[in-house]
Amino acid sequence: MPTLILVRHGRSTANTEGLLAGWTPGVALDERGAAQAAALPGRLAGLPLSEIVTSPLQRCQETLRPLLDARPELRAHTDERIGECHYGDWSGRKLAELGNEPLMEVVQAHPSAAAFPGGESMRAMQTRAAEAVREWNARVERDHGPDAVYLMCSHGDIIKSLVAEALGLHLDLFQRISVEPCSVTAIRYTRLRPFLVRLGDTGDFASLAPREEPSGDEAPVGGGAGAP
């Protein structure tokens, strides 16, 4: 079965403004995110990508633009199932104020029980994304063979949930996983089991350096803004 390359979109204006973007329209890459996207073709130069799949949201489309320009033989297939979690009434709100919502404790400690008001549950988010991966695995293997490599550009919570599913982790543990903007995660699927071969690889270790403000013990909903 194929190898899946999961790319989180580059840093967005919502990331730097501390907003939970969700499906809010018009959320673009910021200057750093655009630079991250521009570097992506070089980072992936050694990979013979057979297909590219993307979330329909603008920040993912912008992340892929330099890669598609560098590989004109490829086109991006849009799949709404790997779009961001539908955060409903939380969309567009400041993460700082959402921290005071009782639901946030559930999102952090028991996400399998979390459902966003006016949106979807985190279980539903994981299910739709995993179904998309299974269908694309079959399609890519059929069209390009079992050793093919393909790429999906998606969002922090989606990628974390797919990693948890690949590792056989309960969704309640997925907040222990971190994927920074424009990081690369790779899962090699086989008949018996998936293998996680890269996780949140940015090629940059700056995010491991001590920060002026402690990062705290809560996982950033939506994925966070990455290293300062």
Side-chain angles (χ1 to χ4, degrees):
M1 294 179 70
T3 296
L4 169 60
I5 307 299
L6 289 161
V7 175
R8 185 183 168 202
H9 62 78
R11 195 174 76 175
S12 72
T13 53
N15 292 145
T16 49
E17 293 170 11
L19 300 176
L20 185 61
W23 285 70
T24 304
V27 177
L29 298 183
D30 68 5
E31 184 176 352
R32 178 169 180 171
Q36 291 170 333
L40 193 59
R43 292 171 61 199
L44 300 178
L47 290 177
L49 298 175
S50 58
E51 299 282 0
I52 293 180
V53 189
T54 181
S55 156
L57 295 174
Q58 178 179 338
R59 51 199 184 273
C60 287
Q61 307 273 343
E62 291 180 356
T63 298
L64 286 179
R65 194 166 296 149
L67 180 62
L68 292 169
D69 288 345
R71 302 200 188 193
E73 74 280 7
L74 294 173
R75 68 181 184 90
H77 305 273
T78 299
D79 194 325
E80 291 198 357
R81 294 173 297 177
I82 62 167
E84 181 61 285
C85 184
H86 291 277
Y87 296 116
D89 298 344
W90 280 26
S91 299
R93 292 179 61 187
K94 286 275 190 183
L95 286 164
E97 69 179 44
L98 289 171
N100 297 321
E101 295 279 353
L103 178 60
M104 182 59 84
E105 185 178 3
V106 182
V107 171
Q108 291 294 323
H110 192 21
S112 66
F116 296 97
E120 69 178 334
S121 69
M122 301 198 92
R123 286 184 293 106
M125 173 199 74
Q126 183 186 45
T127 297
R128 62 172 165 88
E131 287 177 350
V133 167
R134 281 191 284 272
E135 289 183 19
W136 277 102
N137 280 349
R139 176 173 172 175
V140 168
E141 182 173 12
R142 181 195 68 206
D143 294 345
H144 303 283
D147 297 322
V149 179
Y150 75 107
L151 181 148
M152 283 184 169
C153 186
S154 188
H155 306 266
D157 281 350
I158 294 287
I159 294 172
K160 287 163 57 177
S161 74
L162 289 171
V163 169
E165 202 254 357
L167 292 175
L169 293 177
H170 197 283
L171 185 60
D172 286 347
L173 301 178
F174 101 128
Q175 298 290 27
R176 302 182 182 197
I177 299 166
S178 176
V179 289
E180 293 206 351
C182 224
S183 62
V184 172
T185 294
I187 302 172
R188 180 174 296 122
Y189 289 88
T190 73
R191 184 174 63 87
L192 295 181
R193 64 182 63 84
F195 293 92
L196 179 66
V197 292
R198 292 287 189 281
L199 176 61
D201 188 345
T202 63
D204 178 4
F205 294 102
S207 63
L208 301 179
R211 303 189 183 186
E212 292 183 7
E213 295 184 4
S215 56
D217 58 3
E218 289 197 351
V221 182

